[in-house]
mmCIF file with all atom_site columns, all heavy atoms in Angstrom:
data_model
loop_
_atom_site.group_PDB
_atom_site.id
_atom_site.type_symbol
_atom_site.label_atom_id
_atom_site.label_alt_id
_atom_site.label_comp_id
_atom_site.label_asym_id
_atom_site.label_entity_id
_atom_site.label_seq_id
_atom_site.pdbx_PDB_ins_code
_atom_site.Cartn_x
_atom_site.Cartn_y
_atom_site.Cartn_z
_atom_site.occupancy
_atom_site.B_iso_or_equiv
_atom_site.pdbx_formal_charge
_atom_site.auth_seq_id
_atom_site.auth_comp_id
_atom_site.auth_asym_id
_atom_site.auth_atom_id
_atom_site.pdbx_PDB_model_num
ATOM 1   N N   . PRO A 1 452 ? 32.518 -16.019 13.357 1.00 64.00 ? 724 PRO A N   1
ATOM 2   C CA  . PRO A 1 452 ? 33.983 -15.775 13.202 1.00 64.00 ? 724 PRO A CA  1
ATOM 3   C C   . PRO A 1 452 ? 34.705 -15.728 14.540 1.00 64.00 ? 724 PRO A C   1
ATOM 4   O O   . PRO A 1 452 ? 35.867 -16.171 14.629 1.00 64.00 ? 724 PRO A O   1
ATOM 5   C CB  . PRO A 1 452 ? 33.976 -14.400 12.523 1.00 64.00 ? 724 PRO A CB  1
ATOM 6   C CG  . PRO A 1 452 ? 32.648 -14.266 11.881 1.00 64.00 ? 724 PRO A CG  1
ATOM 7   C CD  . PRO A 1 452 ? 31.718 -15.031 12.752 1.00 64.00 ? 724 PRO A CD  1
ATOM 8   N N   . GLU A 1 453 ? 34.089 -15.226 15.629 1.00 62.00 ? 725 GLU A N   1
ATOM 9   C CA  . GLU A 1 453 ? 34.792 -15.123 16.880 1.00 62.00 ? 725 GLU A CA  1
ATOM 10  C C   . GLU A 1 453 ? 35.135 -16.460 17.487 1.00 62.00 ? 725 GLU A C   1
ATOM 11  O O   . GLU A 1 453 ? 35.898 -16.543 18.435 1.00 62.00 ? 725 GLU A O   1
ATOM 12  C CB  . GLU A 1 453 ? 33.907 -14.276 17.879 1.00 62.00 ? 725 GLU A CB  1
ATOM 13  C CG  . GLU A 1 453 ? 32.543 -14.824 18.122 1.00 62.00 ? 725 GLU A CG  1
ATOM 14  C CD  . GLU A 1 453 ? 31.513 -14.150 17.266 1.00 62.00 ? 725 GLU A CD  1
ATOM 15  O OE1 . GLU A 1 453 ? 31.906 -13.702 16.168 1.00 62.00 ? 725 GLU A OE1 1
ATOM 16  O OE2 . GLU A 1 453 ? 30.314 -14.071 17.632 1.00 62.00 ? 725 GLU A OE2 1
ATOM 17  N N   . ASN A 1 454 ? 34.488 -17.544 16.965 1.00 64.00 ? 726 ASN A N   1
ATOM 18  C CA  . ASN A 1 454 ? 34.784 -18.881 17.510 1.00 64.00 ? 726 ASN A CA  1
ATOM 19  C C   . ASN A 1 454 ? 35.899 -19.568 16.760 1.00 64.00 ? 726 ASN A C   1
ATOM 20  O O   . ASN A 1 454 ? 36.315 -20.685 17.146 1.00 64.00 ? 726 ASN A O   1
ATOM 21  C CB  . ASN A 1 454 ? 33.541 -19.750 17.428 1.00 64.00 ? 726 ASN A CB  1
ATOM 22  C CG  . ASN A 1 454 ? 32.415 -19.204 18.313 1.00 64.00 ? 726 ASN A CG  1
ATOM 23  O OD1 . ASN A 1 454 ? 32.655 -18.582 19.350 1.00 64.00 ? 726 ASN A OD1 1
ATOM 24  N ND2 . ASN A 1 454 ? 31.151 -19.400 17.900 1.00 64.00 ? 726 ASN A ND2 1
ATOM 25  N N   . LEU A 1 455 ? 36.411 -18.969 15.681 1.00 64.00 ? 727 LEU A N   1
ATOM 26  C CA  . LEU A 1 455 ? 37.514 -19.592 14.972 1.00 64.00 ? 727 LEU A CA  1
ATOM 27  C C   . LEU A 1 455 ? 38.824 -19.465 15.738 1.00 64.00 ? 727 LEU A C   1
ATOM 28  O O   . LEU A 1 455 ? 39.123 -18.407 16.320 1.00 64.00 ? 727 LEU A O   1
ATOM 29  C CB  . LEU A 1 455 ? 37.663 -18.912 13.587 1.00 64.00 ? 727 LEU A CB  1
ATOM 30  C CG  . LEU A 1 455 ? 36.469 -19.013 12.635 1.00 64.00 ? 727 LEU A CG  1
ATOM 31  C CD1 . LEU A 1 455 ? 36.714 -18.227 11.381 1.00 64.00 ? 727 LEU A CD1 1
ATOM 32  C CD2 . LEU A 1 455 ? 36.190 -20.501 12.309 1.00 64.00 ? 727 LEU A CD2 1
ATOM 33  N N   . PRO A 1 456 ? 39.630 -20.553 15.839 1.00 63.00 ? 728 PRO A N   1
ATOM 34  C CA  . PRO A 1 456 ? 40.823 -20.536 16.667 1.00 63.00 ? 728 PRO A CA  1
ATOM 35  C C   . PRO A 1 456 ? 41.805 -19.421 16.373 1.00 63.00 ? 728 PRO A C   1
ATOM 36  O O   . PRO A 1 456 ? 42.325 -18.771 17.293 1.00 63.00 ? 728 PRO A O   1
ATOM 37  C CB  . PRO A 1 456 ? 41.440 -21.923 16.377 1.00 63.00 ? 728 PRO A CB  1
ATOM 38  C CG  . PRO A 1 456 ? 40.286 -22.762 15.890 1.00 63.00 ? 728 PRO A CG  1
ATOM 39  C CD  . PRO A 1 456 ? 39.376 -21.783 15.148 1.00 63.00 ? 728 PRO A CD  1
ATOM 40  N N   . HIS A 1 457 ? 42.091 -19.134 15.101 1.00 60.00 ? 729 HIS A N   1
ATOM 41  C CA  . HIS A 1 457 ? 43.105 -18.144 14.776 1.00 60.00 ? 729 HIS A CA  1
ATOM 42  C C   . HIS A 1 457 ? 42.627 -16.749 15.123 1.00 60.00 ? 729 HIS A C   1
ATOM 43  O O   . HIS A 1 457 ? 43.426 -15.862 15.410 1.00 60.00 ? 729 HIS A O   1
ATOM 44  C CB  . HIS A 1 457 ? 43.548 -18.238 13.326 1.00 60.00 ? 729 HIS A CB  1
ATOM 45  C CG  . HIS A 1 457 ? 42.462 -17.791 12.350 1.00 60.00 ? 729 HIS A CG  1
ATOM 46  N ND1 . HIS A 1 457 ? 41.302 -18.557 12.110 1.00 60.00 ? 729 HIS A ND1 1
ATOM 47  C CD2 . HIS A 1 457 ? 42.376 -16.705 11.559 1.00 60.00 ? 729 HIS A CD2 1
ATOM 48  C CE1 . HIS A 1 457 ? 40.581 -17.942 11.175 1.00 60.00 ? 729 HIS A CE1 1
ATOM 49  N NE2 . HIS A 1 457 ? 41.198 -16.825 10.836 1.00 60.00 ? 729 HIS A NE2 1
ATOM 50  N N   . LEU A 1 458 ? 41.312 -16.549 15.108 1.00 64.00 ? 730 LEU A N   1
ATOM 51  C CA  . LEU A 1 458 ? 40.787 -15.227 15.504 1.00 64.00 ? 730 LEU A CA  1
ATOM 52  C C   . LEU A 1 458 ? 40.756 -15.075 17.052 1.00 64.00 ? 730 LEU A C   1
ATOM 53  O O   . LEU A 1 458 ? 40.985 -13.999 17.563 1.00 64.00 ? 730 LEU A O   1
ATOM 54  C CB  . LEU A 1 458 ? 39.352 -15.080 14.981 1.00 64.00 ? 730 LEU A CB  1
ATOM 55  C CG  . LEU A 1 458 ? 39.212 -14.989 13.469 1.00 64.00 ? 730 LEU A CG  1
ATOM 56  C CD1 . LEU A 1 458 ? 37.795 -14.696 13.089 1.00 64.00 ? 730 LEU A CD1 1
ATOM 57  C CD2 . LEU A 1 458 ? 40.146 -13.995 12.860 1.00 64.00 ? 730 LEU A CD2 1
ATOM 58  N N   . GLN A 1 459 ? 40.523 -16.161 17.712 1.00 64.00 ? 731 GLN A N   1
ATOM 59  C CA  . GLN A 1 459 ? 40.543 -16.092 19.231 1.00 64.00 ? 731 GLN A CA  1
ATOM 60  C C   . GLN A 1 459 ? 41.955 -15.725 19.722 1.00 64.00 ? 731 GLN A C   1
ATOM 61  O O   . GLN A 1 459 ? 42.070 -14.930 20.657 1.00 64.00 ? 731 GLN A O   1
ATOM 62  C CB  . GLN A 1 459 ? 40.125 -17.446 19.798 1.00 64.00 ? 731 GLN A CB  1
ATOM 63  C CG  . GLN A 1 459 ? 38.622 -17.716 19.646 1.00 64.00 ? 731 GLN A CG  1
ATOM 64  C CD  . GLN A 1 459 ? 38.230 -19.037 20.208 1.00 64.00 ? 731 GLN A CD  1
ATOM 65  O OE1 . GLN A 1 459 ? 39.052 -19.941 20.406 1.00 64.00 ? 731 GLN A OE1 1
ATOM 66  N NE2 . GLN A 1 459 ? 36.942 -19.190 20.560 1.00 64.00 ? 731 GLN A NE2 1
ATOM 67  N N   . THR A 1 460 ? 42.936 -16.225 19.092 1.00 65.00 ? 732 THR A N   1
ATOM 68  C CA  . THR A 1 460 ? 44.339 -15.914 19.475 1.00 65.00 ? 732 THR A CA  1
ATOM 69  C C   . THR A 1 460 ? 44.626 -14.454 19.283 1.00 65.00 ? 732 THR A C   1
ATOM 70  O O   . THR A 1 460 ? 45.204 -13.769 20.105 1.00 65.00 ? 732 THR A O   1
ATOM 71  C CB  . THR A 1 460 ? 45.337 -16.751 18.688 1.00 65.00 ? 732 THR A CB  1
ATOM 72  O OG1 . THR A 1 460 ? 45.040 -18.143 18.890 1.00 65.00 ? 732 THR A OG1 1
ATOM 73  C CG2 . THR A 1 460 ? 46.760 -16.455 19.095 1.00 65.00 ? 732 THR A CG2 1
ATOM 74  N N   . PHE A 1 461 ? 44.200 -13.910 18.132 1.00 63.00 ? 733 PHE A N   1
ATOM 75  C CA  . PHE A 1 461 ? 44.394 -12.520 17.852 1.00 63.00 ? 733 PHE A CA  1
ATOM 76  C C   . PHE A 1 461 ? 43.661 -11.608 18.826 1.00 63.00 ? 733 PHE A C   1
ATOM 77  O O   . PHE A 1 461 ? 44.198 -10.618 19.286 1.00 63.00 ? 733 PHE A O   1
ATOM 78  C CB  . PHE A 1 461 ? 43.986 -12.237 16.375 1.00 63.00 ? 733 PHE A CB  1
ATOM 79  C CG  . PHE A 1 461 ? 44.111 -10.808 16.000 1.00 63.00 ? 733 PHE A CG  1
ATOM 80  C CD1 . PHE A 1 461 ? 45.413 -10.246 15.834 1.00 63.00 ? 733 PHE A CD1 1
ATOM 81  C CD2 . PHE A 1 461 ? 43.015 -10.029 15.767 1.00 63.00 ? 733 PHE A CD2 1
ATOM 82  C CE1 . PHE A 1 461 ? 45.545 -8.887  15.469 1.00 63.00 ? 733 PHE A CE1 1
ATOM 83  C CE2 . PHE A 1 461 ? 43.173 -8.708  15.393 1.00 63.00 ? 733 PHE A CE2 1
ATOM 84  C CZ  . PHE A 1 461 ? 44.445 -8.129  15.224 1.00 63.00 ? 733 PHE A CZ  1
ATOM 85  N N   . ILE A 1 462 ? 42.426 -11.931 19.104 1.00 64.00 ? 734 ILE A N   1
ATOM 86  C CA  . ILE A 1 462 ? 41.610 -11.157 20.022 1.00 64.00 ? 734 ILE A CA  1
ATOM 87  C C   . ILE A 1 462 ? 42.219 -11.145 21.407 1.00 64.00 ? 734 ILE A C   1
ATOM 88  O O   . ILE A 1 462 ? 42.298 -10.099 22.049 1.00 64.00 ? 734 ILE A O   1
ATOM 89  C CB  . ILE A 1 462 ? 40.167 -11.726 20.088 1.00 64.00 ? 734 ILE A CB  1
ATOM 90  C CG1 . ILE A 1 462 ? 39.432 -11.620 18.725 1.00 64.00 ? 734 ILE A CG1 1
ATOM 91  C CG2 . ILE A 1 462 ? 39.354 -11.010 21.149 1.00 64.00 ? 734 ILE A CG2 1
ATOM 92  C CD1 . ILE A 1 462 ? 38.150 -12.348 18.692 1.00 64.00 ? 734 ILE A CD1 1
ATOM 93  N N   . HIS A 1 463 ? 42.711 -12.280 21.841 1.00 65.00 ? 735 HIS A N   1
ATOM 94  C CA  . HIS A 1 463 ? 43.325 -12.358 23.194 1.00 65.00 ? 735 HIS A CA  1
ATOM 95  C C   . HIS A 1 463 ? 44.560 -11.484 23.307 1.00 65.00 ? 735 HIS A C   1
ATOM 96  O O   . HIS A 1 463 ? 44.682 -10.736 24.248 1.00 65.00 ? 735 HIS A O   1
ATOM 97  C CB  . HIS A 1 463 ? 43.655 -13.795 23.532 1.00 65.00 ? 735 HIS A CB  1
ATOM 98  C CG  . HIS A 1 463 ? 44.274 -14.025 24.863 1.00 65.00 ? 735 HIS A CG  1
ATOM 99  N ND1 . HIS A 1 463 ? 43.575 -13.838 26.006 1.00 65.00 ? 735 HIS A ND1 1
ATOM 100 C CD2 . HIS A 1 463 ? 45.556 -14.367 25.200 1.00 65.00 ? 735 HIS A CD2 1
ATOM 101 C CE1 . HIS A 1 463 ? 44.394 -14.073 27.052 1.00 65.00 ? 735 HIS A CE1 1
ATOM 102 N NE2 . HIS A 1 463 ? 45.596 -14.390 26.593 1.00 65.00 ? 735 HIS A NE2 1
ATOM 103 N N   . ALA A 1 464 ? 45.395 -11.545 22.289 1.00 62.00 ? 736 ALA A N   1
ATOM 104 C CA  . ALA A 1 464 ? 46.617 -10.725 22.286 1.00 62.00 ? 736 ALA A CA  1
ATOM 105 C C   . ALA A 1 464 ? 46.289 -9.231  22.234 1.00 62.00 ? 736 ALA A C   1
ATOM 106 O O   . ALA A 1 464 ? 46.896 -8.447  22.901 1.00 62.00 ? 736 ALA A O   1
ATOM 107 C CB  . ALA A 1 464 ? 47.453 -11.088 21.088 1.00 62.00 ? 736 ALA A CB  1
ATOM 108 N N   . LEU A 1 465 ? 45.244 -8.855  21.476 1.00 59.00 ? 737 LEU A N   1
ATOM 109 C CA  . LEU A 1 465 ? 44.851 -7.485  21.353 1.00 59.00 ? 737 LEU A CA  1
ATOM 110 C C   . LEU A 1 465 ? 44.275 -6.955  22.681 1.00 59.00 ? 737 LEU A C   1
ATOM 111 O O   . LEU A 1 465 ? 44.564 -5.821  23.082 1.00 59.00 ? 737 LEU A O   1
ATOM 112 C CB  . LEU A 1 465 ? 43.865 -7.313  20.253 1.00 59.00 ? 737 LEU A CB  1
ATOM 113 C CG  . LEU A 1 465 ? 43.684 -5.958  19.610 1.00 59.00 ? 737 LEU A CG  1
ATOM 114 C CD1 . LEU A 1 465 ? 45.044 -5.444  19.076 1.00 59.00 ? 737 LEU A CD1 1
ATOM 115 C CD2 . LEU A 1 465 ? 42.656 -5.893  18.515 1.00 59.00 ? 737 LEU A CD2 1
ATOM 116 N N   . LYS A 1 466 ? 43.534 -7.769  23.364 1.00 61.00 ? 738 LYS A N   1
ATOM 117 C CA  . LYS A 1 466 ? 42.965 -7.363  24.649 1.00 61.00 ? 738 LYS A CA  1
ATOM 118 C C   . LYS A 1 466 ? 44.096 -7.175  25.679 1.00 61.00 ? 738 LYS A C   1
ATOM 119 O O   . LYS A 1 466 ? 44.014 -6.239  26.484 1.00 61.00 ? 738 LYS A O   1
ATOM 120 C CB  . LYS A 1 466 ? 41.977 -8.415  25.151 1.00 61.00 ? 738 LYS A CB  1
ATOM 121 C CG  . LYS A 1 466 ? 40.669 -8.442  24.373 1.00 61.00 ? 738 LYS A CG  1
ATOM 122 C CD  . LYS A 1 466 ? 39.727 -9.459  24.937 1.00 61.00 ? 738 LYS A CD  1
ATOM 123 C CE  . LYS A 1 466 ? 38.333 -9.391  24.287 1.00 61.00 ? 738 LYS A CE  1
ATOM 124 N NZ  . LYS A 1 466 ? 37.461 -10.442 24.799 1.00 61.00 ? 738 LYS A NZ  1
ATOM 125 N N   . ILE A 1 467 ? 45.054 -8.033  25.680 1.00 56.00 ? 739 ILE A N   1
ATOM 126 C CA  . ILE A 1 467 ? 46.166 -7.884  26.641 1.00 56.00 ? 739 ILE A CA  1
ATOM 127 C C   . ILE A 1 467 ? 46.900 -6.584  26.380 1.00 56.00 ? 739 ILE A C   1
ATOM 128 O O   . ILE A 1 467 ? 47.250 -5.859  27.317 1.00 56.00 ? 739 ILE A O   1
ATOM 129 C CB  . ILE A 1 467 ? 47.114 -9.102  26.535 1.00 56.00 ? 739 ILE A CB  1
ATOM 130 C CG1 . ILE A 1 467 ? 46.419 -10.385 27.017 1.00 56.00 ? 739 ILE A CG1 1
ATOM 131 C CG2 . ILE A 1 467 ? 48.421 -8.844  27.297 1.00 56.00 ? 739 ILE A CG2 1
ATOM 132 C CD1 . ILE A 1 467 ? 47.262 -11.626 26.836 1.00 56.00 ? 739 ILE A CD1 1
ATOM 133 N N   . ASN A 1 468 ? 47.213 -6.271  25.119 1.00 56.00 ? 740 ASN A N   1
ATOM 134 C CA  . ASN A 1 468 ? 47.929 -5.019  24.835 1.00 56.00 ? 740 ASN A CA  1
ATOM 135 C C   . ASN A 1 468 ? 47.052 -3.795  25.249 1.00 56.00 ? 740 ASN A C   1
ATOM 136 O O   . ASN A 1 468 ? 47.610 -2.787  25.641 1.00 56.00 ? 740 ASN A O   1
ATOM 137 C CB  . ASN A 1 468 ? 48.261 -4.939  23.282 1.00 56.00 ? 740 ASN A CB  1
ATOM 138 C CG  . ASN A 1 468 ? 49.306 -6.002  22.942 1.00 56.00 ? 740 ASN A CG  1
ATOM 139 O OD1 . ASN A 1 468 ? 50.078 -6.397  23.741 1.00 56.00 ? 740 ASN A OD1 1
ATOM 140 N ND2 . ASN A 1 468 ? 49.289 -6.351  21.689 1.00 56.00 ? 740 ASN A ND2 1
#
Side-chain angles (χ1 to χ4, degrees):
E725 56 266 27
N726 297 329
L727 297 176
H729 69 290
L730 295 187
Q731 288 181 337
T732 303
F733 177 70
I734 296 170
H735 180 68
L737 202 59
K738 287 181 177 178
I739 292 176
N740 291 335

